[in-house]
Amino acid sequence: MSERYNLSVIIPTFNEEENIAAIIGAVNDVCSKNGIQAEILVVDDNSNDRTIPIVQDIVRRCENVRLIVRMNDHGLSQSVVDGFRAARSDILLVIDADFSHPPELIPRFYEAIRGGADIAIGSRYMKGGDIEEWPIKRRIISLGATAFGRVLFPEITDPVSGFFAVRREVVDRAPLAPRGYKILMEVLGKGRWRSFVEIPFVFRDRAEGESKLRLETMLDYLRQCCGIIWFSVTHRTGPVWTEWTKILRFGVVGLSGIFVNMGLLYVLTEVAGLYYLVSAAFAIETSIVNNFIWNDLWTFNSGGRLRFTRRLHRFVSFQVVSMGGLAINMLILYLLVEVGGIYYLIANLAGIFAAFAWNFMVNRHFTWKNV
Ligand code: GDD
Ligand code: MN
């Protein structure tokens, strides 16, 4: 690697004639004020406005600025990947051209990586982060995309952020797919990393020009998520795999609970001669205890000689969440049958699925938060 630069700032552009000169100036300013030797890589998808000549003019004056004009395979993620490959320093940072990402924060990303983090992520959804002036429709779309992303990366509040920095080794040999809008998800799913930090920032909507988000983009996103899941399943490493192992184990434990529940219901009713609703209450509670034990020892692997009070605390939490799951299951069953006119056994499948999602999410984030 070149000794000259200690940071590569990658700016993907498509028709940014109103912003590009100003953002390059701002990045240069903040870096030189903070003693960072930064190179700037503008990766343009052959814009048909004045972006290219404007950057060419800057390149003539500033030797740390480079322009890559891409002629085919148009796309934001592809452009960022090309930027990674062309970069000449060990820390890579991606920032939008339209001032949605405040360049003043660049030194914090830089220091985070120098301080040992493999990835530094600008987050709109953690304390201190926000989004200014987004129409409600965009907010909902973004929240949906983020929620989906968080299923894959539950520790990260903003896995679809476009403002982030990575250590070079993280992406060096990663098979980053050339499609998809959310390059950070790709890096998180396929890159080699252990530690990350999030840095809150306020996302400002572009003052100039139009955003390029469309339905196609969303379909690309779903495809990308599937690709990441597939990668994690075939490679069996990384954070997504760890998470999916938990989901699978939680599901297996849930199935064991159904057997305990049914078995006990049968035995207590037929053999012990109890009234079936009384047996059911015992059966349900026993299956909750069964599920707790397996989840505590296996799914979330809290291991070893743990303090009894902690475990009891988790059990109470699990119990409450399970009752909530039961209520959700019954409510959905009732609504689908009574309002939707759906056959009750089918309706119950939807209820079980919803309860499973609820149980997993809430227990994952509360009951076993600290293990
Ligand atoms: N090279 C290239 N090719 N650049 C592109 C392309 C493309 O096809 N499409 C957009 N860009 C550039 C824009 O010029 C801008 O610098 C940046 O990528 C972001 O594009 P916007 O169109 O402004 O994106 P946005 O505001 O909708 O999306 C932002 O929010 C997302 C999170 O919700 C971006 O910051 C995304 O990076 C981010 O993931
Ligand atoms: Mn934007």
Side-chain angles (χ1 to χ4, degrees), residues 12 14 16 45 74 79 96-98 124 138 181 206 211:
F14 185 65
E16 294 286 0
D45 259 327
H74 185 108
S79 302
D96 284 359
D98 60 0
R124 301 160 291 173
R138 258 204 93 180
Y181 203 58
R206 55 170 63 242
S211 171

Side-chain angles (χ1 to χ4, degrees), residues 78-280:
Q78 296 93 306
S79 302
V80 172
V81 172
D82 282 3
F84 287 162
R85 305 289 178 239
R88 284 182 290 194
S89 78
D90 289 328
I91 302 179
L92 318 174
L93 180 139
V94 185
I95 187 168
D96 284 359
D98 60 0
F99 286 92
S100 292
H101 306 148
E104 312 84 77
L105 291 181
I106 289 176
R108 295 206 32 209
F109 286 74
Y110 176 72
E111 292 305 335
I113 305 285
R114 296 239 314 181
D118 293 321
I119 306 187
I121 301 167
S123 171
R124 301 160 291 173
Y125 296 115
M126 73 192 286
K127 192 169 182 294
D130 203 354
I131 300 174
E132 264 179 17
E133 292 172 39
W134 257 14
I136 190 82
K137 183 175 154 228
R138 258 204 93 180
R139 263 175 209 271
I140 292 171
I141 292 174
S142 172
L143 269 178
T146 309
F148 209 87
R150 276 199 216 172
V151 175
L152 302 185
F153 307 102
E155 322 282 331
I156 296 172
T157 63
D158 199 350
V160 296
S161 176
F163 192 18
F164 62 94
V166 288
R167 190 185 300 288
R168 185 184 196 93
E169 298 93 80
V170 172
V171 293
D172 240 358
R173 275 187 300 277
L176 303 174
R179 284 189 75 91
Y181 203 58
K182 300 303 177 188
I183 182 63
L184 175 58
M185 291 268 292
E186 203 65 24
V187 171
L188 290 170
K190 299 180 181 171
R192 287 202 295 174
W193 59 279
R194 291 182 161 279
S195 57
F196 72 95
V197 291
E198 288 196 290
I199 297 167
F201 79 101
V202 179
F203 186 99
R204 275 181 206 88
D205 207 3
R206 55 170 63 242
E208 305 289 340
E210 264 282 285
S211 171
K212 289 132 199 144
L213 193 107
R214 291 196 311 268
L215 175 71
E216 232 180 278
T217 322
M218 283 187 260
L219 293 180
D220 271 356
Y221 178 62
L222 283 184
R223 189 173 351 181
Q224 186 191 4
C225 288
C226 294
I228 290 170
I229 293 169
W230 179 246
F231 179 90
S232 82
V233 171
T234 49
H235 289 70
R236 309 231 178 106
T237 52
V240 181
W241 175 248
T242 315
E243 192 58 22
W244 278 76
T245 322
K246 289 193 183 117
I247 297 178
L248 280 172
R249 288 180 177 186
F250 199 80
V252 170
V253 170
L255 280 178
S256 83
I258 291 176
F259 282 107
V260 170
N261 188 336
M262 298 285 273
L264 205 59
L265 177 64
Y266 177 82
V267 170
L268 290 180
T269 312
E270 302 295 326
V271 182
L274 292 181
Y275 179 55
Y276 80 99
L277 284 182
V278 176
S279 324

Side-chain angles (χ1 to χ4, degrees), residues 282-338:
F282 275 110
I284 289 170
E285 186 52 35
T286 309
S287 70
I288 288 175
V289 172
N290 168 79
N291 291 7
F292 174 77
I293 292 170
W294 290 112
N295 282 326
D296 204 48
L297 294 177
W298 184 52
T299 310
F300 297 102
N301 194 10
S302 57
R305 323 160 270 106
L306 269 173
R307 291 225 318 275
F308 177 73
T309 48
R310 286 272 192 86
R311 188 158 282 169
L312 187 68
H313 197 258
R314 288 202 293 277
F315 176 70
V316 173
S317 167
F318 185 76
Q319 177 80 39
V320 173
V321 175
S322 301
M323 303 307 258
L326 198 62
I328 289 174
N329 192 337
M330 293 182 66
L331 183 72
I332 288 183
L333 175 62
Y334 176 80
L335 287 177
L336 288 182
V337 172
E338 299 300 326

